Amino acid sequence: MGARHALHFLNRTPRAELVAAFTPEPSEVAWAKIHLEPSGVTIYTDYDEMLRHPGLEAVVVATVTTVHAEQAIKAIQANKHVLCEKPLSTSVEVSQSVVDASKTKPHLKVMCGFSRRFDASYRDAFDRMDSGAIGRPSVFRSQTCDKLDPSGFFVEYAQFSGGIFVDCNIHDIDLALWYFGQDSIVKSVVAMGITAVQPELRKYKDVDNGVGIVEFWGGKLAYFYSSRMMAAGQHDMTEIIGTEGKLSINANPIGTLVEMSEPSGIRREIPPHYYGRFEQAFVTEANEFTAACLDDLKLPFKLTGAVQAVKIGCALQESLNSGKEIYFDETGRRLEKAAL
């Protein structure tokens, strides 16, 4: 992920200049010396030293999840704008500490990298929903399904990732909060899962296929599915079902990826040119973050939403392992003590 961000800021973000990169991993240093150093990028193996790079104004945190919060807070304290990969942390309290740090430097732009919010098709679907095209949005169904990795990488990664709902479904949870409204309050969560291809995940209390259901106060329901065993390749998709229609994004991966179900039937729109939507979302994110920093523009969404997403993801992971449904009151306060 760090390499992807580095190349986007180096080659596809005209208003930004990539001046430094950090990694403690020798193999990544070797990659950076080939792909970044010839363009004048200084490579660091010490994060604190990189923060002191002359003229550095902003930092992209795309390291392992366990150090996201620590590195984001250090950058904020060093007076740098921050784009931090999701999630801020696998802990609600640690995630909140990033928000608290950002409040001490209100002039800085601090954003969590939920890339699907920058995808043209997801934005198109949101605009249609927001205009009333499908009536009142009531049911949200979304999935993040990764291609099967036979190497077993995700087994060992599970001890740090926070679990499948925090690691994979965090994007879907964020989308639900976007489409239903950032102020949506959870009423209950329940989750279940199986280890279909990687039974070793059980030692870390994780699964390779998980289903979570979140009920929101106000009569809204979200269904999340995550998988690490898609043989044909990654497939992320979303549906928003309203009282007068339905919007689907990437249900059938063609065209704009938006499919509109109306009383008159299903309508698909395919543009003449559509290429590399996933990469383009990251490029759009990089350019909009850069513009916000340089032009003092408002960020497209609040950092507090990243804490909300982690809170829901952690509750789903707890339900997965306890086998119990978890309830919240109308203020969002849990009705029983957390027991991870």
Side-chain angles (χ1 to χ4, degrees), residues 47-48 51 61 65-77 88-89 94 97-98:
Y47 182 75
D48 294 335
L51 289 179
V61 177
T65 300
T66 49
V67 296
H68 280 182
E70 176 189 352
Q71 292 181 347
I73 290 171
K74 281 187 174 183
I76 293 167
Q77 291 172 341
L88 294 178
S89 169
V94 176
S97 70
V98 180

Side-chain angles (χ1 to χ4, degrees), residues 258-330:
V258 176
E259 179 180 280
M260 175 79 83
S261 297
E262 302 172 309
S264 58
I266 296 176
R267 173 163 53 89
R268 297 183 180 92
E269 297 179 7
I270 305 173
H273 304 289
Y274 197 90
Y275 175 75
R277 66 176 280 266
F278 290 111
E279 288 303 312
Q280 186 56 47
F282 283 103
V283 172
T284 302
E285 177 185 62
N287 280 278
E288 291 191 11
F289 174 72
T290 299
C293 296
L294 293 176
D295 302 331
D296 194 23
L297 302 176
K298 184 178 179 180
L299 292 170
F301 47 90
K302 297 178 181 178
L303 189 62
T304 51
V307 181
Q308 279 180 282
V310 171
K311 182 178 180 180
I312 294 172
C314 286
L316 286 167
Q317 199 70 26
E318 180 183 342
S319 175
L320 168 71
N321 288 307
S322 70
K324 297 179 181 179
E325 189 167 1
I326 301 172
Y327 300 91
F328 301 83
D329 66 20
E330 293 185 46

Side-chain angles (χ1 to χ4, degrees), residues 15-242:
R15 300 185 68 195
E17 179 187 359
L18 184 67
V19 296
F22 155 78
T23 178
E25 296 294 328
S27 61
E28 294 178 356
V29 170
W31 179 92
K33 285 184 175 296
I34 294 171
H35 297 279
L36 303 180
E37 201 170 60
S39 298
V41 180
T42 303
I43 312 303
Y44 291 92
T45 55
D46 183 296
Y47 182 75
D48 294 335
E49 186 181 354
M50 185 197 72
L51 289 179
R52 294 191 290 270
H53 184 91
L56 186 66
E57 295 178 280
V59 172
V60 178
V61 177
T63 44
V64 294
T65 300
T66 49
V67 296
H68 280 182
E70 176 189 352
Q71 292 181 347
I73 290 171
K74 281 187 174 183
I76 293 167
Q77 291 172 341
N79 217 36
K80 315 299 181 189
H81 303 290
V82 178
L83 169 57
C84 182
E85 260 302 322
K86 63 79 188 171
L88 294 178
S89 169
T90 59
S91 158
V92 176
E93 292 75 19
V94 176
S95 297
Q96 182 61 45
S97 70
V98 180
V99 176
D100 294 340
S102 72
K103 290 179 179 178
T104 67
K105 304 274 184 137
H107 63 288
L108 295 178
K109 306 299 179 183
V110 183
M111 186 174 82
C112 187
F114 288 111
S115 57
R116 292 187 204 175
R117 291 208 185 209
F118 298 90
D119 184 287
S121 294
Y122 278 96
R123 287 181 166 183
D124 180 16
F126 178 85
D127 289 341
R128 297 185 192 210
M129 180 204 72
D130 198 44
S131 71
I134 60 169
R136 186 178 68 255
S138 303
V139 178
F140 180 90
R141 183 165 58 183
S142 194
Q143 70 178 44
T144 295
C145 296
D146 291 339
K147 184 178 181 179
L148 175 64
D149 180 359
S151 73
F153 166 79
F154 285 112
V155 174
E156 294 309 312
Y157 180 61
Q159 63 184 307
F160 311 112
S161 70
I164 199 165
F165 291 107
V166 175
D167 184 44
C168 284
N169 279 138
I170 199 76
H171 277 298
D172 307 288
I173 295 167
D174 175 66
L175 287 173
L177 292 171
W178 181 25
Y179 283 84
F180 279 167
Q182 204 68 61
D183 297 327
S184 298
I185 298 175
V186 174
K187 184 177 182 180
S188 68
V189 306
V190 65
M192 59 197 72
I194 58 172
T195 50
V197 294
Q198 295 171 326
E200 300 89 354
L201 282 165
R202 294 171 189 158
K203 67 183 177 182
Y204 298 123
K205 297 183 178 181
D206 206 9
V207 296
D208 51 33
N209 284 267
V211 171
I213 297 175
V214 177
E215 181 184 8
F216 293 91
W217 287 97
K220 294 178 180 178
L221 196 65
Y223 168 101
F224 304 117
Y225 171 49
S226 52
S227 176
R228 297 200 188 280
M229 69 170 200
M230 292 292 106
Q234 184 169 347
H235 183 202
D236 306 333
M237 63 86 66
T238 300
E239 290 181 323
I240 310 97
I241 303 163

